[in-house]
Amino acid sequence: MSDDDTPAGFELGLAYPDAEALEAAIADLVEERVASRIAAHDATLWGPDAEEEAAKRLDWVDLHVTSASLVPQIEELRAELNDRGVHHVVLCGMGGSSLAPEVICATDQVGLTVLDSSDPDMVRGVLDGDLSSTAVVVSSKSGGTVETDSQRRAFEAAFRAADIDPSERIVVVTDPGSPLDDLASESGYRVFHADPGVGGRYSALTAFGLVPSGLAGADIAGLLEDAGDIAEDVTADDDTNPALVLGALLGLANAGGVDKLVLAEAGTANRGFADWAEQLVAESTGKTGHGILPVVVASPESPNATASTSDEVLGMLGPMRDDHPVAASGYGFAIDAPLGALFLLWEVATAVAGRMIGINPFDQPDVESAKQAARDMLSGGSAEPDPVFTDDAITVFDTSGWLPEDVVTVSGAVAALLDHLDPEHGYVAVQAYLDRLADPALAGVRDTLATRTGRPTTFGWGPRFLHSTGQYHKGGPPTGVFLQVTSEPAHDLAVPGRDFSFGEFLLAQAVGDGQVLAGHGRPVLRLHLDGSSRAREELLEALG
């Protein structure tokens, strides 16, 4: 992989099966002035159906300039908190409100606890920390995210129980005029307003990314400077524009049926960047039966990066190397750049790919359906389906009746699910509604199933994936099979002021999303663990 025309300070290497086709695609983008029109906030680029949404979602192009005024405000608040002995920052947020700060802080190696779950054990584990030194950032663009609202309520109660005034510790990030904005003003919380002209997954360089990261100690001024350094390059109508090149590669591959994007950390200093890119690409492109499915893997040696399939683009995140794996499809790239520059580059490239695919990269039409299904279950409008059978410590649920009647073991149920996998275009999605902070090793089942099936396999922690790849699962190509894992918590936890608990809410989210997936014709298998270590052992055995 090599390309000598990338901007100074950046590395971008490409692999492609047809040079003429890629050059023609890039030339078309240059002739149509796509990059400069994005910079000019031209909402007509994605067609008339997308114009209304795009018109209010393009401010992200200028954030390296417009967000600069936030930096001294955030630094001043951090100094105030530190002077009061507050050094630990907890972020309550979902999707675009949490993924960017997680990457920013991991890359800068500063501590940030991200609470993006309804799992009662995970919530309790964070609440049980040292509240005397803790500040909490509550982030929600809409101001009505139920997970974030529930977490806020739990922290307010915990602070009061510890004789700490919540108004001295809770910082709110939201859009102006949202319900959370009104509540925060009434409660005396410090509020940072985000730019309402930026969608959640494009918000890395807004207050949603900068406030929690800056309070935790990350170099947010440097982050904006890095984005500014590449801004001219990625908005230029030029065939060396790296965002046009990357977007053209992804769009051209997708048109040829290469619709999976394997992302591997290959020596990058930007820790966890693939998880942020996963949300950006999947939620932006996965709709109307089209899309690009990101498959995040640990390294270039991981299954799906090695022994890749013909429907995969291989993306290596890190410096150029001679020994990067070669994609079976012929499509691949390696990219290395400072984090702020990567945020902006990938946002432009995703918008470009969306234009080539023919979708609106700024809406998420299928996300609300899962939220509504969860609300219906909590309100009694729908009920949890009856189990098919129980095999020792695991209970098996089949949402839509696809499981053969003669299957009576967990291993048999898993095998039956994988039998539905399209050997040429299918993918496996594992969705674990569990405590990701306490049980991170469970994510290793992704490699297990990828090796077992030879097909692209994703792993998502619930409910955080509902705010990212969940859009692709329901709106993208109907080629996935879905394995949900739920569990009895060690102890449930009430949501203050609500008539449901965290455990009830988490289960409703899993069941609700499963029902929506089944309604789209996707096969869904749910394995419910009894909470014992034996159940986890049986799960791993069945998957392996």
Side-chain angles (χ1 to χ4, degrees):
M1 298 181 181
S2 64
D3 187 344
D4 296 331
D5 294 324
T6 52
F10 301 90
E11 290 187 289
L12 175 63
L14 304 175
Y16 37 84
D18 187 338
E20 290 186 4
L22 181 60
E23 290 169 2
I26 296 170
D28 286 345
L29 294 169
V30 172
E31 182 178 355
E32 294 162 356
R33 299 183 297 105
V34 170
S36 63
R37 289 166 67 190
I38 290 174
H41 300 201
D42 184 346
T44 67
L45 278 166
W46 299 274
D49 291 342
E51 188 170 345
E52 181 179 359
E53 183 75 18
K56 53 187 179 183
R57 289 289 180 262
L58 286 166
D59 283 1
W60 51 268
V61 180
D62 309 308
L63 290 172
H64 57 286
V65 175
T66 58
S67 287
S69 61
L70 288 171
V71 174
Q73 300 174 51
I74 295 167
E75 291 178 342
E76 180 181 4
L77 178 57
R78 179 171 185 262
E80 292 176 7
L81 291 170
N82 288 351
D83 286 345
R84 299 204 302 265
V86 178
H87 302 280
H88 176 218
V89 178
V90 173
L91 169 60
C92 298
M94 303 298 298
S97 298
S98 63
L99 287 167
E102 191 169 58
V103 176
I104 295 166
C105 291
T107 298
D108 270 11
Q109 300 182 49
V110 298
L112 176 70
T113 298
V114 176
L115 181 55
D116 55 357
S117 179
S118 313
D119 183 275
D121 296 326
M122 182 171 168
V123 175
R124 183 184 297 101
V126 177
L127 288 172
D128 286 345
D130 181 10
L131 293 180
S132 67
S133 63
T134 296
V136 177
V137 179
V138 178
S139 289
S140 171
K141 180 176 177 61
S142 68
T145 308
V146 179
E147 297 98 325
T148 305
D149 178 73
S150 300
Q151 295 153 4
R152 173 190 60 80
R153 291 166 179 265
F155 267 104
E156 286 176 340
F159 279 135
R160 293 190 181 106
D163 200 26
I164 298 171
D165 184 351
S167 68
E168 296 180 354
R169 299 299 184 85
I170 292 180
V171 179
V172 166
V173 183
T174 190
D175 277 5
S178 76
L180 179 58
D181 187 20
D182 295 339
L183 182 148
S185 298
E186 295 171 2
S187 302
Y189 298 152
R190 176 68 182 269
V191 179
F192 288 87
H193 288 140
D195 188 333
V198 180
R201 57 189 175 276
Y202 291 82
S203 66
L205 300 179
T206 69
F208 287 113
L210 300 181
V211 171
S213 303
L215 293 181
D219 179 12
I220 54 175
L223 191 75
L224 294 177
E225 290 173 5
D226 289 338
D229 287 344
I230 202 175
E232 184 176 346
D233 295 303
V234 300
T235 56
D237 296 316
D238 189 284
D239 61 8
T240 64
N241 176 335
L244 284 186
V245 170
L246 181 58
L249 182 97
L250 295 174
L252 185 64
N254 191 267
V258 183
D259 61 355
K260 316 297 191 302
L261 171 59
V262 175
L263 292 172
E265 293 198 359
T268 179
N270 301 310
R271 303 301 181 194
F273 181 81
D275 291 326
W276 176 84
E278 177 186 40
Q279 179 208 215
L280 174 71
V281 174
E283 195 170 34
S284 295
T285 69
K287 56 202 71 171
T288 67
H290 299 89
I292 301 169
L293 176 68
V295 179
V296 176
V297 304
S299 76
E301 291 74 40
S302 298
N304 294 145
T306 57
S308 68
T309 58
S310 60
D311 56 348
E312 293 176 9
V313 177
L314 286 186
M316 300 292 121
L317 304 175
M320 308 301 105
R321 288 179 7 194
D322 293 333
D323 60 345
H324 282 313
V326 177
S329 67
Y331 285 103
F333 62 86
I335 187 167
D336 197 32
L339 181 57
L342 279 180
F343 281 142
L344 182 56
L345 186 153
W346 274 87
E347 287 165 349
V348 176
T350 300
V352 169
R355 174 181 166 86
M356 292 184 66
I357 295 170
I359 51 86
N360 175 4
F362 305 112
D363 67 350
Q364 48 282 331
D366 297 291
V367 169
E368 179 60 29
S369 59
K371 295 180 181 179
Q372 185 59 51
R375 289 193 291 265
D376 289 345
M377 184 174 170
L378 287 173
S379 65
S382 62
E384 182 182 7
D386 293 330
V388 180
F389 62 85
T390 297
D391 182 7
D392 200 358
I394 300 177
T395 301
V396 175
F397 292 84
D398 164 19
T399 302
S400 55
W402 60 267
L403 190 64
E405 292 183 0
D406 60 348
V407 174
V408 294
T409 65
V410 172
S411 295
V414 171
L417 177 70
L418 299 181
D419 283 344
H420 282 262
L421 189 60
D422 183 330
E424 295 184 358
H425 303 289
Y427 68 93
V428 182
V430 182
Q431 305 169 341
Y433 291 82
L434 304 170
D435 182 349
R436 70 180 181 90
L437 298 181
D439 200 8
L442 186 63
V445 303
R446 193 217 73 83
D447 284 9
T448 300
L449 287 173
T451 299
R452 175 174 175 175
T453 64
R455 294 299 305 160
T457 301
T458 67
F459 182 94
W461 293 104
R464 68 186 256 162
F465 79 85
L466 293 175
H467 297 258
S468 56
T469 52
Q471 166 61 43
Y472 182 98
H473 295 157
K474 294 176 280 287
T479 56
V481 300
F482 299 87
L483 175 64
Q484 295 183 323
V485 183
T486 56
S487 179
E488 290 296 311
H491 300 284
D492 204 350
L493 181 66
V495 178
R498 294 288 196 181
D499 57 2
F500 56 82
S501 67
F502 279 99
E504 290 168 340
F505 181 37
L506 184 66
L507 182 61
Q509 290 181 293
V511 173
D513 193 52
Q515 291 172 340
V516 174
L517 286 168
H520 283 270
R522 274 60 157 176
V524 183
L525 174 69
R526 179 161 69 91
L527 305 180
H528 187 75
L529 315 185
D530 69 4
S532 66
S533 59
R534 179 178 177 82
R536 278 165 168 70
E537 293 170 1
E538 292 177 0
L539 173 68
L540 296 177
E541 182 179 349
L543 298 182

